[in-house]
PDB file of all heavy atoms in Angstrom:
ATOM      1  N   SER A 528     -91.944-264.725-121.204  1.00  0.00           N
ATOM      2  CA  SER A 528     -91.310-264.350-119.945  1.00  0.00           C
ATOM      3  C   SER A 528     -92.323-264.472-118.812  1.00  0.00           C
ATOM      4  O   SER A 528     -93.468-264.045-118.953  1.00  0.00           O
ATOM      5  CB  SER A 528     -90.797-262.905-120.033  1.00  0.00           C
ATOM      6  OG  SER A 528     -90.360-262.448-118.776  1.00  0.00           O
ATOM      7  N   ARG A 529     -91.872-265.079-117.701  1.00  0.00           N
ATOM      8  CA  ARG A 529     -92.751-265.255-116.550  1.00  0.00           C
ATOM      9  C   ARG A 529     -91.979-264.962-115.263  1.00  0.00           C
ATOM     10  O   ARG A 529     -90.761-265.135-115.205  1.00  0.00           O
ATOM     11  CB  ARG A 529     -93.308-266.683-116.484  1.00  0.00           C
ATOM     12  CG  ARG A 529     -94.244-267.080-117.596  1.00  0.00           C
ATOM     13  CD  ARG A 529     -94.479-268.590-117.597  1.00  0.00           C
ATOM     14  NE  ARG A 529     -94.829-269.105-116.280  1.00  0.00           N
ATOM     15  CZ  ARG A 529     -94.779-270.402-115.949  1.00  0.00           C
ATOM     16  NH1 ARG A 529     -94.365-271.300-116.838  1.00  0.00           N
ATOM     17  NH2 ARG A 529     -95.126-270.793-114.730  1.00  0.00           N
ATOM     18  N   LEU A 530     -92.706-264.524-114.235  1.00  0.00           N
ATOM     19  CA  LEU A 530     -92.151-264.375-112.899  1.00  0.00           C
ATOM     20  C   LEU A 530     -92.771-265.437-112.001  1.00  0.00           C
ATOM     21  O   LEU A 530     -93.995-265.594-111.977  1.00  0.00           O
ATOM     22  CB  LEU A 530     -92.444-262.987-112.325  1.00  0.00           C
ATOM     23  CG  LEU A 530     -91.639-261.816-112.896  1.00  0.00           C
ATOM     24  CD1 LEU A 530     -92.104-260.522-112.240  1.00  0.00           C
ATOM     25  CD2 LEU A 530     -90.157-262.005-112.670  1.00  0.00           C
ATOM     26  N   LEU A 531     -91.946-266.152-111.272  1.00  0.00           N
ATOM     27  CA  LEU A 531     -92.415-267.214-110.395  1.00  0.00           C
ATOM     28  C   LEU A 531     -92.271-266.773-108.937  1.00  0.00           C
ATOM     29  O   LEU A 531     -91.228-266.241-108.538  1.00  0.00           O
ATOM     30  CB  LEU A 531     -91.600-268.493-110.602  1.00  0.00           C
ATOM     31  CG  LEU A 531     -91.432-268.990-112.041  1.00  0.00           C
ATOM     32  CD1 LEU A 531     -90.637-270.282-112.047  1.00  0.00           C
ATOM     33  CD2 LEU A 531     -92.789-269.198-112.704  1.00  0.00           C
ATOM     34  N   THR A 532     -93.286-267.012-108.150  1.00  0.00           N
ATOM     35  CA  THR A 532     -93.215-266.683-106.731  1.00  0.00           C
ATOM     36  C   THR A 532     -92.737-267.867-105.903  1.00  0.00           C
ATOM     37  O   THR A 532     -92.536-267.729-104.695  1.00  0.00           O
ATOM     38  CB  THR A 532     -94.580-266.221-106.204  1.00  0.00           C
ATOM     39  OG1 THR A 532     -95.553-267.248-106.447  1.00  0.00           O
ATOM     40  CG2 THR A 532     -95.017-264.942-106.902  1.00  0.00           C
ATOM     41  N   ARG A 533     -92.530-269.021-106.550  1.00  0.00           N
ATOM     42  CA  ARG A 533     -91.932-270.181-105.896  1.00  0.00           C
ATOM     43  C   ARG A 533     -91.115-270.953-106.923  1.00  0.00           C
ATOM     44  O   ARG A 533     -91.559-271.148-108.063  1.00  0.00           O
ATOM     45  CB  ARG A 533     -92.985-271.110-105.276  1.00  0.00           C
ATOM     46  CG  ARG A 533     -93.809-270.465-104.173  1.00  0.00           C
ATOM     47  CD  ARG A 533     -94.611-271.499-103.404  1.00  0.00           C
ATOM     48  NE  ARG A 533     -93.740-272.348-102.592  1.00  0.00           N
ATOM     49  CZ  ARG A 533     -93.318-272.021-101.376  1.00  0.00           C
ATOM     50  NH1 ARG A 533     -93.667-270.874-100.833  1.00  0.00           N
ATOM     51  NH2 ARG A 533     -92.565-272.843-100.682  1.00  0.00           N
ATOM     52  N   ILE A 534     -89.939-271.417-106.513  1.00  0.00           N
ATOM     53  CA  ILE A 534     -89.113-272.204-107.422  1.00  0.00           C
ATOM     54  C   ILE A 534     -89.792-273.522-107.773  1.00  0.00           C
ATOM     55  O   ILE A 534     -89.553-274.103-108.839  1.00  0.00           O
ATOM     56  CB  ILE A 534     -87.717-272.446-106.784  1.00  0.00           C
ATOM     57  CG1 ILE A 534     -86.728-272.984-107.824  1.00  0.00           C
ATOM     58  CG2 ILE A 534     -87.807-273.410-105.613  1.00  0.00           C
ATOM     59  CD1 ILE A 534     -86.280-271.964-108.821  1.00  0.00           C
ATOM     60  N   SER A 535     -90.687-273.991-106.914  1.00  0.00           N
ATOM     61  CA  SER A 535     -91.370-275.265-107.152  1.00  0.00           C
ATOM     62  C   SER A 535     -92.327-275.206-108.335  1.00  0.00           C
ATOM     63  O   SER A 535     -92.837-276.240-108.776  1.00  0.00           O
ATOM     64  CB  SER A 535     -92.131-275.706-105.894  1.00  0.00           C
ATOM     65  OG  SER A 535     -93.062-274.715-105.486  1.00  0.00           O
ATOM     66  N   GLU A 536     -92.595-274.006-108.857  1.00  0.00           N
ATOM     67  CA  GLU A 536     -93.443-273.894-110.047  1.00  0.00           C
ATOM     68  C   GLU A 536     -92.750-274.423-111.299  1.00  0.00           C
ATOM     69  O   GLU A 536     -93.408-274.646-112.317  1.00  0.00           O
ATOM     70  CB  GLU A 536     -93.854-272.432-110.259  1.00  0.00           C
ATOM     71  CG  GLU A 536     -94.742-271.868-109.151  1.00  0.00           C
ATOM     72  CD  GLU A 536     -95.077-270.408-109.384  1.00  0.00           C
ATOM     73  OE1 GLU A 536     -95.407-270.052-110.535  1.00  0.00           O
ATOM     74  OE2 GLU A 536     -94.994-269.610-108.429  1.00  0.00           O
ATOM     75  N   ILE A 537     -91.436-274.591-111.237  1.00  0.00           N
ATOM     76  CA  ILE A 537     -90.673-275.147-112.350  1.00  0.00           C
ATOM     77  C   ILE A 537     -90.177-276.536-111.947  1.00  0.00           C
ATOM     78  O   ILE A 537     -89.653-276.708-110.835  1.00  0.00           O
ATOM     79  CB  ILE A 537     -89.465-274.246-112.707  1.00  0.00           C
ATOM     80  CG1 ILE A 537     -89.938-273.006-113.454  1.00  0.00           C
ATOM     81  CG2 ILE A 537     -88.431-274.984-113.535  1.00  0.00           C
ATOM     82  CD1 ILE A 537     -90.425-273.280-114.871  1.00  0.00           C
ATOM     83  N   PRO A 538     -90.320-277.551-112.804  1.00  0.00           N
ATOM     84  CA  PRO A 538     -89.810-278.884-112.463  1.00  0.00           C
ATOM     85  C   PRO A 538     -88.313-278.843-112.165  1.00  0.00           C
ATOM     86  O   PRO A 538     -87.544-278.162-112.845  1.00  0.00           O
ATOM     87  CB  PRO A 538     -90.106-279.709-113.726  1.00  0.00           C
ATOM     88  CG  PRO A 538     -91.251-279.004-114.382  1.00  0.00           C
ATOM     89  CD  PRO A 538     -91.041-277.546-114.094  1.00  0.00           C
ATOM     90  N   ALA A 539     -87.912-279.577-111.136  1.00  0.00           N
ATOM     91  CA  ALA A 539     -86.518-279.573-110.708  1.00  0.00           C
ATOM     92  C   ALA A 539     -85.581-279.982-111.835  1.00  0.00           C
ATOM     93  O   ALA A 539     -84.499-279.405-111.996  1.00  0.00           O
ATOM     94  CB  ALA A 539     -86.340-280.488-109.498  1.00  0.00           C
ATOM     95  N   ALA A 540     -85.975-280.971-112.622  1.00  0.00           N
ATOM     96  CA  ALA A 540     -85.096-281.463-113.686  1.00  0.00           C
ATOM     97  C   ALA A 540     -84.822-280.371-114.716  1.00  0.00           C
ATOM     98  O   ALA A 540     -83.694-280.236-115.208  1.00  0.00           O
ATOM     99  CB  ALA A 540     -85.709-282.689-114.354  1.00  0.00           C
ATOM    100  N   GLN A 541     -85.839-279.575-115.055  1.00  0.00           N
ATOM    101  CA  GLN A 541     -85.647-278.508-116.038  1.00  0.00           C
ATOM    102  C   GLN A 541     -84.738-277.414-115.480  1.00  0.00           C
ATOM    103  O   GLN A 541     -83.834-276.930-116.172  1.00  0.00           O
ATOM    104  CB  GLN A 541     -86.998-277.914-116.448  1.00  0.00           C
ATOM    105  CG  GLN A 541     -87.851-278.826-117.326  1.00  0.00           C
ATOM    106  CD  GLN A 541     -89.038-278.090-117.929  1.00  0.00           C
ATOM    107  OE1 GLN A 541     -88.993-276.885-118.131  1.00  0.00           O
ATOM    108  NE2 GLN A 541     -90.097-278.825-118.220  1.00  0.00           N
ATOM    109  N   TRP A 542     -84.972-277.005-114.229  1.00  0.00           N
ATOM    110  CA  TRP A 542     -84.127-275.963-113.635  1.00  0.00           C
ATOM    111  C   TRP A 542     -82.683-276.452-113.512  1.00  0.00           C
ATOM    112  O   TRP A 542     -81.743-275.732-113.862  1.00  0.00           O
ATOM    113  CB  TRP A 542     -84.677-275.559-112.276  1.00  0.00           C
ATOM    114  CG  TRP A 542     -83.881-274.470-111.616  1.00  0.00           C
ATOM    115  CD1 TRP A 542     -82.717-274.613-110.907  1.00  0.00           C
ATOM    116  CD2 TRP A 542     -84.160-273.061-111.637  1.00  0.00           C
ATOM    117  NE1 TRP A 542     -82.259-273.387-110.471  1.00  0.00           N
ATOM    118  CE2 TRP A 542     -83.124-272.427-110.906  1.00  0.00           C
ATOM    119  CE3 TRP A 542     -85.182-272.291-112.179  1.00  0.00           C
ATOM    120  CZ2 TRP A 542     -83.106-271.042-110.711  1.00  0.00           C
ATOM    121  CZ3 TRP A 542     -85.141-270.910-111.980  1.00  0.00           C
ATOM    122  CH2 TRP A 542     -84.113-270.303-111.264  1.00  0.00           C
ATOM    123  N   ASN A 543     -82.489-277.644-113.009  1.00  0.00           N
ATOM    124  CA  ASN A 543     -81.136-278.162-112.785  1.00  0.00           C
ATOM    125  C   ASN A 543     -80.378-278.385-114.082  1.00  0.00           C
ATOM    126  O   ASN A 543     -79.145-278.327-114.097  1.00  0.00           O
ATOM    127  CB  ASN A 543     -81.187-279.446-111.967  1.00  0.00           C
ATOM    128  CG  ASN A 543     -81.515-279.193-110.512  1.00  0.00           C
ATOM    129  OD1 ASN A 543     -81.363-278.078-110.015  1.00  0.00           O
ATOM    130  ND2 ASN A 543     -81.969-280.221-109.809  1.00  0.00           N
ATOM    131  N   ALA A 544     -81.095-278.639-115.169  1.00  0.00           N
ATOM    132  CA  ALA A 544     -80.425-278.771-116.466  1.00  0.00           C
ATOM    133  C   ALA A 544     -79.753-277.466-116.861  1.00  0.00           C
ATOM    134  O   ALA A 544     -78.733-277.467-117.556  1.00  0.00           O
ATOM    135  CB  ALA A 544     -81.432-279.198-117.538  1.00  0.00           C
ATOM    136  N   LEU A 545     -80.298-276.349-116.392  1.00  0.00           N
ATOM    137  CA  LEU A 545     -79.699-275.038-116.646  1.00  0.00           C
ATOM    138  C   LEU A 545     -78.660-274.680-115.590  1.00  0.00           C
ATOM    139  O   LEU A 545     -77.640-274.066-115.888  1.00  0.00           O
ATOM    140  CB  LEU A 545     -80.776-273.952-116.666  1.00  0.00           C
ATOM    141  CG  LEU A 545     -81.529-273.679-117.974  1.00  0.00           C
ATOM    142  CD1 LEU A 545     -82.223-274.923-118.508  1.00  0.00           C
ATOM    143  CD2 LEU A 545     -82.542-272.554-117.770  1.00  0.00           C
TER     144      LEU A 545
END
Side-chain angles (χ1 to χ4, degrees):
S528 171
R529 294 167 49 196
L530 286 178
L531 309 182
T532 57
R533 298 192 70 85
I534 193 73
S535 57
E536 295 178 44
I537 285 289
Q541 288 192 27
W542 181 279
N543 287 341
L545 274 57

